[in-house]
Amino acid sequence: MIKHLRAMPTLLLFVCILLFILGNLYTAEARVRHYKWVVKYEYKSPDCFKKLVITINGRTPGPTIQAQEGDTVIVEVTNNLGTENLAIHWHGIRQIGTPWSDGTEGVTQCPVLPGDTFKYQFVVDRAGTYLYHAHYGMQRGAGLYGSIQVAPNDPEPFAYDFDRSIILNDWYHQSTYEQATGLSSNPFVWVGEPQSLLINGKGRFNCSTISSSSLSSTGGVCNTSNIDCSPYVQTVIPGKTYRLRIGSLTGLSALSFQIEGHNMTVVEADGHFVEPFVVKNLFIYSGETYSVLVKADQDPSRNYWITSNVVARNRTTPPGLATFNYYPNHPKRSPPTSPPTPPGWDDAEPRVAQSLAIKARRGYINKAPTTSDRVIVFLNTQNTIDGFRLWSVNNVSFSLPHTPYLIALKHNLKNSFHSTSPPDGYDFANYDIFSVANNTNATSTNGIYRLKFNTTVDIILQNANTMTKNNSETHPWHLHGHDFWVLGYGKGKFDKDNDPKKYNLENPIMKNTVAVHPFGWTALRFRANNPGVWAFHCHIEAHFYMGMGVVFEEGIDRVGKLPSSIMGCGRT
């Protein structure tokens, strides 16, 4: 070998050595990250109230998946829930080439049956902050969720000393079975406001508000001395800068997040770099992730509050509280002040202002196509269909079929779902978004939207009045399998002739989850270039359960052979 190398011209020898080194570097960098998880019910007290929760290897939140850009992640999940099916969605991972690993029951796979082990395998193709959570029934609200951190191959455009993840959640004392039963009942029973807000799986409920008779009737125990519900502590070293990867997996609540006395600089959203801006309150909606930089530059002789509070709904849930602990102060030393006052729950202006402030970072702008091939307007409405309260899109409430779409379409299993696609819009001229609508023509369907492969699609999310007078709710919408450009937000009814002229095509941020604000609209644009079948839905757990979602199909003929492990239900 050496003899042959010596005979080569110098330049050719250099090229060969360089290629050898690069090849070995690539092999070293692209790793396989293997996880084995056992999912089961256990009694836990995340907010001091003892109840059955879903754990992964005994934990909730579950283990953080840590990987490098380009790595392959393999998660072997064993379902030990006893009598309950399972599916796990890798939220923000686009599943390019592996649509069957998206983890969406009824869309991309049959659920994992009790006692079975299922292998999810996918490539994390882009650095950033992502999430995972249950995607079967309402299981996410029972505690099955966690973080995904994907480190970059290239340097990031900001510096920090330490990297931490924080998941925000709301927490109910009712089981998800009780919640689902109420939502499916006639008369309708709403889930109500959460009892607690959790920060990294920890909160503290006021046990004195529960009567002893209530505790005995529910079989619950509430004990504030339980170590499970000791507040979360983020210890910091004075003078150091921390990257906090903040994700929300609330079942219902929009939140504000605050660190007493400290500014936060927003630098990443859903895996994309943001033109930095400073906030004291970070507004975050279910399914969103943000990275913020926080410098420990305040008085180091004391600790500070970390708080989360409900916004966009009439606030009855106490704040989530944690401690920003300046080393070497004791982590259990309470801050000497009261928790900071939260923003007004009904003040939408600062929330809209933050949405408008999120732009792609200079030097990292992924240009959006200047025009689209198709425009679909989704009107968010509440309806009563056959006596049952449902959420609908364009007066159509979504329901899942027994045979997952990906399998039915790829294997040409005809009549597995409705062949008629839902409408691309609504009665623009006559529908009053500010009034309680009659909506007597509302229907339910499991039909889907068929998108021409590699075309550009615009989605307009249009908010309207609910079935309660003068009420319009905030809805975070999440798209599986894609990122989309956020082109704009507006108040009132979307004007299809004039509002597109105001779109931001210069530096729109790309995201996978975005909010539509009360009585307003949000405009998105994406490329239908990922072969598969993908859900697009409101990330509020009860709203999706009640039908607030759609499904897109694109390039199904380009999908490779489906693994047999995703089959076993419906007509499969």
Side-chain angles (χ1 to χ4, degrees):
M1 174 69 175
I2 299 296
K3 180 179 177 182
H4 289 302
L5 285 174
R6 285 175 179 161
M8 287 185 180
T10 303
L11 180 60
L12 181 58
L13 176 62
F14 173 77
V15 171
C16 288
I17 293 172
L18 182 62
L19 289 173
F20 177 79
I21 293 171
L22 290 174
N24 278 291
L25 282 174
Y26 178 78
T27 304
E29 288 176 359
R31 295 177 52 188
V32 176
R33 312 278 180 156
H34 207 138
Y35 296 84
K36 290 190 176 182
W37 291 354
V38 175
V39 177
K40 63 180 179 178
Y41 273 107
E42 297 184 58
Y43 279 108
K44 296 284 185 181
S45 305
D47 71 342
C48 307
F49 183 90
K50 184 179 178 182
K51 62 172 282 190
L52 278 173
V53 304
I54 299 178
T55 63
I56 299 174
N57 297 348
R59 297 166 54 184
T60 177
T64 296
I65 291 177
Q66 293 185 312
Q68 186 89 10
E69 184 180 356
D71 284 353
T72 296
V73 173
I74 298 174
V75 185
E76 292 187 57
V77 181
T78 298
N79 179 1
N80 278 0
L81 294 177
T83 60
E84 200 168 325
N85 296 336
L86 175 69
I88 300 178
H89 169 55
W90 316 97
H91 183 113
I93 306 301
R94 292 177 292 179
Q95 301 293 347
I96 297 171
T98 54
W100 47 80
S101 281
D102 188 53
T104 315
E105 181 270 333
V107 179
T108 60
Q109 70 168 99
C110 293
V112 184
L113 300 177
D116 283 358
T117 296
F118 185 89
K119 183 173 77 173
Y120 290 101
Q121 181 169 332
F122 50 88
V123 174
V124 287
D125 66 297
R126 191 184 61 248
T129 305
Y130 309 103
L131 303 162
Y132 66 82
H133 59 81
H135 218 294
Y136 177 84
M138 295 179 67
Q139 281 177 346
R140 189 179 88 217
L144 203 170
Y145 61 89
S147 292
I148 303 174
Q149 290 186 13
V150 183
N153 294 329
D154 300 319
E156 294 170 299
F158 45 84
Y160 51 91
D161 299 298
F162 298 99
D163 192 340
R164 300 288 184 267
S165 287
I166 295 177
I167 294 186
L168 306 178
N169 206 359
D170 49 14
W171 194 248
Y172 288 86
H173 293 169
Q174 270 193 333
S175 71
T176 54
Y177 282 115
E178 291 172 293
Q179 291 182 320
T181 299
L183 296 175
S184 305
S185 295
N186 184 3
F188 173 75
V189 181
W190 175 237
V191 298
E193 299 301 308
Q195 278 67 60
S196 301
L197 298 179
L198 306 183
I199 298 177
N200 259 10
K202 292 178 175 291
R204 180 156 291 184
F205 180 72
N206 184 357
C207 296
S208 65
T209 62
I210 306 177
S211 66
S212 56
S213 59
S214 296
L215 283 173
S216 61
S217 66
T218 60
V221 174
C222 199
N223 181 3
T224 54
S225 64
N226 191 318
I227 194 170
D228 277 1
C229 61
S230 57
Y232 171 69
V233 176
Q234 174 59 64
T235 300
V236 297
I237 299 171
K240 298 297 184 181
T241 298
Y242 289 78
R243 178 187 188 164
L244 302 182
R245 299 173 184 260
I246 303 168
S248 173
L249 281 172
T250 53
L252 173 67
S253 311
L255 298 175
S256 71
F257 176 85
Q258 187 172 354
I259 302 174
E260 179 192 9
H262 293 73
N263 289 331
M264 296 178 283
T265 302
V266 181
V267 293
E268 179 215 350
D270 291 1
H272 294 274
F273 296 138
V274 170
E275 186 65 23
F277 65 97
V278 176
V279 297
K280 285 195 175 293
N281 281 285
L282 177 72
F283 297 106
I284 185 167
Y285 306 95
S286 180
E288 288 190 315
T289 64
Y290 290 98
S291 283
V292 298
L293 302 183
V294 181
K295 188 170 184 179
D297 58 1
Q298 298 300 299
D299 178 2
S301 67
R302 53 161 292 192
N303 291 336
Y304 297 83
W305 292 108
I306 301 174
T307 63
S308 64
N309 278 278
V310 174
V311 292
R313 299 184 67 85
N314 195 348
R315 187 184 298 131
T316 60
T317 306
L321 297 176
T323 303
F324 202 62
N325 164 230
Y326 270 73
Y327 181 83
N329 296 318
H330 195 285
K332 291 189 177 180
R333 181 181 173 189
S334 290
T337 50
S338 298
T341 302
W345 71 266
D346 56 350
D347 186 1
E349 290 302 319
R351 302 199 302 273
V352 174
Q354 178 184 296
S355 294
L356 292 169
I358 302 173
K359 310 294 185 188
R361 188 174 185 128
R362 278 171 287 186
Y364 297 88
I365 298 171
N366 189 347
K367 284 288 187 182
T370 54
T371 59
S372 65
D373 302 298
R374 184 175 177 183
V375 178
I376 306 175
V377 181
F378 288 142
L379 175 73
N380 300 331
T381 60
Q382 275 185 332
N383 310 84
T384 300
I385 301 176
D386 297 329
F388 294 93
R389 179 71 60 87
L390 297 171
W391 277 98
S392 300
V393 177
N394 294 342
N395 273 349
V396 176
S397 186
F398 176 71
S399 59
L400 285 167
H402 295 296
T403 304
Y405 295 107
L406 182 64
I407 307 171
L409 288 163
K410 186 64 180 174
H411 288 184
N412 199 26
L413 301 177
K414 296 181 178 178
N415 303 318
S416 296
F417 56 90
H418 297 151
S419 59
T420 302
S421 295
D424 277 18
Y426 66 102
D427 186 354
F428 298 100
N430 299 311
Y431 195 98
D432 181 3
I433 67 166
F434 298 101
S435 299
V436 177
N438 198 355
N439 291 341
T440 53
N441 60 337
T443 59
S444 182
T445 186
N446 56 25
I448 64 173
Y449 290 86
R450 311 292 295 268
L451 306 179
K452 188 176 179 181
F453 187 71
N454 214 27
T455 57
T456 300
V457 182
D458 279 3
I459 301 293
I460 314 300
L461 297 169
Q462 175 68 66
N463 225 334
N465 207 101
T466 66
M467 296 184 76
T468 303
K469 191 175 180 181
N470 298 323
N471 173 257
S472 181
E473 299 186 9
T474 300
H475 300 285
W477 277 78
H478 170 58
L479 178 59
H480 293 224
H482 304 78
D483 292 333
F484 47 71
W485 291 274
V486 183
L487 300 185
Y489 301 85
K491 296 180 180 179
K493 187 185 287 189
F494 178 75
D495 183 334
K496 58 183 176 21
D497 295 319
N498 294 309
D499 284 329
K501 299 173 184 176
K502 307 170 191 172
Y503 285 170
N504 173 22
L505 295 175
E506 181 181 348
N507 58 353
I509 190 65
M510 295 194 79
K511 295 184 95 270
N512 62 62
T513 305
V514 72
V516 55
H517 297 288
F519 295 115
W521 56 265
T522 302
L524 323 173
R525 178 169 291 173
F526 73 97
R527 296 283 292 178
N529 59 2
N530 190 6
V533 189
W534 310 105
F536 181 47
H537 61 92
C538 178
H539 214 256
I540 293 174
E541 193 83 317
H543 289 185
F544 183 47
Y545 182 85
M546 294 165 66
M548 198 173 192
V550 299
V551 166
F552 298 123
E553 175 274 321
E554 61 202 57
I556 194 69
D557 56 313
R558 299 167 184 256
V559 173
K561 183 179 179 181
L562 303 182
S564 60
S565 58
I566 68 171
M567 303 179 196
C569 61
R571 298 180 61 201
T572 69

